[in-house]
């Protein structure tokens, strides 16, 4: 199993550009999530999904879109990049345990800089 | 979604000492998990304790859960320099909810 993969590893964007961060998992997990982590801070939940076709907003959803057309993939789209979106982005997936999310498996992260 | 709050925010100890960090949360949970993050890397899952469990062990880790006080603690015994990392708790809710991580506890183990 490859686990959770994220591409690209690094990205530099100009203000106003759009792009999609890719995330894929091969563990047949129901839950998938996107987090961002600013320097010296904890993770903040952007969007998450509890299954194909179902997505919901987290703490900081503005400026981001997601879709979950398959169990495996959960891309994160930045609509119009802003310097405030400079951060490290982590994707995670988990199975369900007792009705809620179980152990989360994290990808290696994407370091995004917006100039 | 609900957030765990870790305490203390930072902890510095000598190698060989025990490290204890605490987590508080606000609403009912299905389980509670602890994660470690080494600098710049993704989080790594350490241990999951279900809401009907009071204590769980994994190697040098001991986790307790008190659902009446809505709190948990993580004890790392005989700490090593390699334990230097940030530690996060994640209170797991019900279906449809997901983790909101707190600021974490930054642990420094000095050789």
């Amino acid at each position: 199993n490859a686990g959770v993969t994220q591409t690209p590893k690094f990205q530099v964007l100009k203000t106003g550009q759009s792009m999609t961060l890719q995330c894929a998992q091969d563990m047949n997990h129901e839950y998938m999530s996107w987090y961002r982590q600013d320097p010296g801070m904890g993770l903040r939940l952007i969007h998450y999904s509890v299954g194909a076709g179902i997505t919901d907003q987290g703490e900081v959803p503005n400026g981001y879109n997601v879709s979950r057309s398959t169990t495996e993939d959960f891309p994160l789209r930045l609509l119009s990049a802003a310097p405030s979106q400079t951060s490290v982005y982590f994707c995670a997936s988990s199975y369900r345990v007792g009705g809620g999310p179980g152990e989360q498996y994290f990808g290696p992260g994407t370091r995004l800089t917006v100039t | 979604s609900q957030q765990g709050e870790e305490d203390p925010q930072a902890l510095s100890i000598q190698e060989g000492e025990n490290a204890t960090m605490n987590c508080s949360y606000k609403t009912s949970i299905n389980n509670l998990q602890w994660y470690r993050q080494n600098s710049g890397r993704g989080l790594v899952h350490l241990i999951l304790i279900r809401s009907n469990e009071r204590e769980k062990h994994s190697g040098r880790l001991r986790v307790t859960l008190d659902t009446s006080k809505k709190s948990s603690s993580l004890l790392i015994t005989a700490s090593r320099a390699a334990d230097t990392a940030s530690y996060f708790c994640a209170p797991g809710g019900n279906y449809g909810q997901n983790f909101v991580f707190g600021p974490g506890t930054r642990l420094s183990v000095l050789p």
Side-chain angles (χ1 to χ4, degrees):
Chain A
N1 285 353
V4 179
T5 58
Q6 290 183 238
T7 56
K9 286 196 168 68
F10 300 92
Q11 183 68 49
V12 179
L13 290 178
K14 291 191 187 325
T15 297
Q17 287 184 316
S18 63
M19 79 158 295
T20 299
L21 307 186
Q22 301 292 345
C23 174
Q25 53 93 8
D26 60 358
M27 296 171 281
N28 203 32
H29 285 167
E30 291 183 66
Y31 279 81
M32 293 188 77
S33 311
W34 277 103
Y35 297 89
R36 61 176 287 176
Q37 186 174 36
D38 299 330
M41 307 287 286
L43 277 73
R44 290 187 291 172
L45 180 65
I46 305 171
H47 285 285
Y48 66 101
S49 167
V50 300
I54 307 169
T55 63
D56 207 347
Q57 296 181 348
E59 302 170 90
V60 288
N62 292 341
Y64 306 95
N65 270 357
V66 292
S67 60
R68 184 102 180 266
S69 55
T70 67
T71 300
E72 294 78 20
D73 300 297
F74 191 44
L76 176 73
R77 183 162 179 81
L78 277 71
L79 307 172
S80 177
S84 60
Q85 293 179 304
T86 294
S87 191
V88 180
Y89 290 83
F90 290 102
C91 178
S93 73
S94 65
Y95 53 84
R96 201 197 315 185
V97 59
E103 172 186 345
Q104 295 220 23
Y105 293 75
F106 282 79
T110 294
R111 292 183 182 276
L112 175 69
T113 302
V114 183
T115 61
Chain B
S1 303
Q2 70 164 312
Q3 179 173 334
E5 293 281 348
E6 298 87 358
D7 175 69
Q9 288 190 2
L11 181 59
S12 189
I13 59 174
Q14 296 293 132
E15 220 169 11
E17 293 180 337
N18 295 344
T20 299
M21 49 206 90
N22 303 298
C23 169
S24 60
Y25 58 92
K26 292 199 166 72
T27 63
S28 65
I29 60 170
N30 186 287
N31 63 72
L32 188 139
Q33 303 176 34
W34 284 91
Y35 289 80
R36 183 187 73 229
Q37 184 181 33
N38 293 96
S39 181
R41 312 287 289 272
L43 273 67
V44 172
H45 182 262
L46 295 176
I47 198 165
L48 181 153
I49 185 165
R50 294 176 189 256
S51 58
N52 60 355
E53 297 176 308
R54 291 296 166 258
E55 187 170 310
K56 199 157 182 183
H57 296 253
S58 176
R60 294 183 297 111
L61 306 180
R62 181 170 79 96
V63 168
T64 62
L65 179 64
D66 186 336
T67 53
S68 67
K69 294 182 179 174
K70 295 188 171 55
S71 67
S72 173
S73 67
L74 170 67
L75 168 68
I76 305 174
T77 59
S79 61
R80 306 166 182 167
D83 295 327
T84 294
S86 291
Y87 292 81
F88 299 89
C89 70
N94 297 312
Y95 183 74
Q97 298 180 349
N98 204 352
F99 301 132
V100 175
F101 288 93
T105 291
R106 199 168 301 173
L107 174 66
S108 298
V109 181
L110 307 173

